[in-house]
Amino acid sequence: MRLPSIIGHLDRRILANYRIDPSIAAAVLPKPFRPKLIRGFAIGGICLIRLRNMRPKIFPFPLGVTSENAAHRFAVEWDEGGTVREGVYVRRRDTDCLFNVCAGGRVFPGEHHHATFTVDENASQTRVALISKDGETRVSVAGHIAQALPADSVFADVNEASGFFEVGSLGYSATTQGDRFDGLEMQCHSWGVTPLAIERVESSYFDDRNRFPSGAIAFDHALIMHNIELTWHSRADLCCETGR
């Protein structure tokens, strides 16, 4: 039995995004997902999010779980009931919270892996790094507040990038069962992003040249959000053909 809704506060969220050759992105996505394209590119990335006071909506008191979390994800589309749906496919979630590791995929959707996070941030600069306990995930993102996206970004401006990611609120996460994906939708009670000029970005997943050959992937841009109330809604699992 999973909780239908969880509420809490988003302290900080970084979206560090890559533009990817769509044929390469399609090769790493399980069915039924396909890349959602922008100007001929697929978009994958890392979401680094600090959540505070996360708790079941039915709880009457304001105290809850606070955690640092990371998700490796892709903007995707899929067909469902004759309709094209869009959202994100999350291939892996990492967290510093043992409760999330134990409860994820059971009490609420999304299986999590345990990781150690290092965070150093102030009003203008942010650095977040993590190493997972199983050694599979290593991430480091550092940057400072900027006024615009990089000149070579596939997105025309911040507004276009913001709109692209705002509609991707519905996510399906990989599970240990290859033919089932956990459904989770994030409802932000407000929405606003700011460009983050990246000084360093590393990802053991996206930097793997066996998976993403040189020339098939490039870092595109990063966005940052702060101080937003949100609600997570459980959604029905998506079951389909065995994932790759």
Side-chain angles (χ1 to χ4, degrees):
M1 182 69 180
R2 290 181 179 171
L3 296 169
S5 298
I6 298 173
I7 61 175
H9 186 85
L10 182 158
D11 272 352
R12 178 260 301 134
R13 184 190 193 198
I14 298 170
L15 296 174
N17 301 303
Y18 296 77
R19 56 183 182 269
I20 307 169
D21 182 309
S23 65
I24 299 299
V28 300
L29 289 174
K31 295 179 180 180
F33 304 113
R34 59 181 178 270
K36 177 184 175 182
L37 304 184
I38 174 78
R39 295 188 177 88
F41 289 96
I43 301 295
I46 313 156
C47 173
L48 297 165
I49 186 169
R50 181 169 62 244
L51 300 171
R52 177 164 50 85
N53 289 340
M54 300 299 293
R55 62 197 185 277
K57 190 174 182 179
I58 58 175
F59 278 21
F61 46 85
L63 299 179
V65 175
T66 296
S67 60
E68 289 282 352
N69 307 273
H72 280 73
R73 40 181 257 160
F74 293 85
V76 295
E77 297 176 336
W78 67 98
D79 298 319
E80 187 176 331
T83 300
V84 176
R85 305 289 303 279
E86 62 180 272
V88 295
Y89 165 68
V90 181
R91 67 165 300 275
R92 179 174 168 115
R93 296 183 185 272
D94 291 277
T95 181
D96 67 350
C97 178
L98 285 173
F99 175 79
N100 290 352
V101 174
C102 295
R106 300 174 179 86
V107 178
F108 53 83
E111 297 176 6
H112 290 66
H113 301 266
H114 195 212
T116 299
F117 284 70
T118 303
V119 179
D120 182 12
E121 56 190 345
N122 55 40
S124 62
Q125 294 185 308
T126 300
R127 177 183 178 274
V128 181
L130 72 97
I131 300 176
S132 65
K133 297 295 186 181
D134 62 9
E136 290 295 317
T137 303
R138 297 181 307 281
V139 170
S140 181
V141 175
H144 58 273
I145 298 298
Q147 298 300 312
L149 300 183
D152 63 349
S153 172
V154 72
F155 293 91
D157 53 31
V158 175
N159 288 335
E160 184 177 52
S162 176
F164 183 89
F165 294 106
E166 185 175 8
V167 299
S169 59
L170 176 59
Y172 283 98
S173 301
T175 69
T176 51
Q177 297 175 314
D179 60 349
R180 182 181 65 80
F181 305 95
D182 281 348
L184 188 65
E185 186 167 9
M186 184 177 71
Q187 176 190 2
C188 292
H189 299 184
S190 61
W191 181 271
V193 301
T194 300
L196 190 70
I198 291 300
E199 299 158 9
R200 183 178 65 207
V201 58
E202 299 174 358
S203 163
S204 55
Y205 180 72
F206 288 112
D207 293 343
D208 182 351
R209 292 297 166 256
N210 291 321
R211 184 180 286 115
F212 299 102
S214 180
I217 186 171
F219 184 75
D220 192 84
H221 74 281
L223 304 170
I224 192 166
M225 308 169 66
H226 288 103
N227 299 323
I228 295 174
E229 300 299 320
L230 54 75
T231 304
W232 297 92
H233 300 283
S234 295
R235 296 299 183 227
D237 294 349
L238 185 63
C239 298
C240 53
E241 300 175 43
T242 301
R244 289 193 291 268

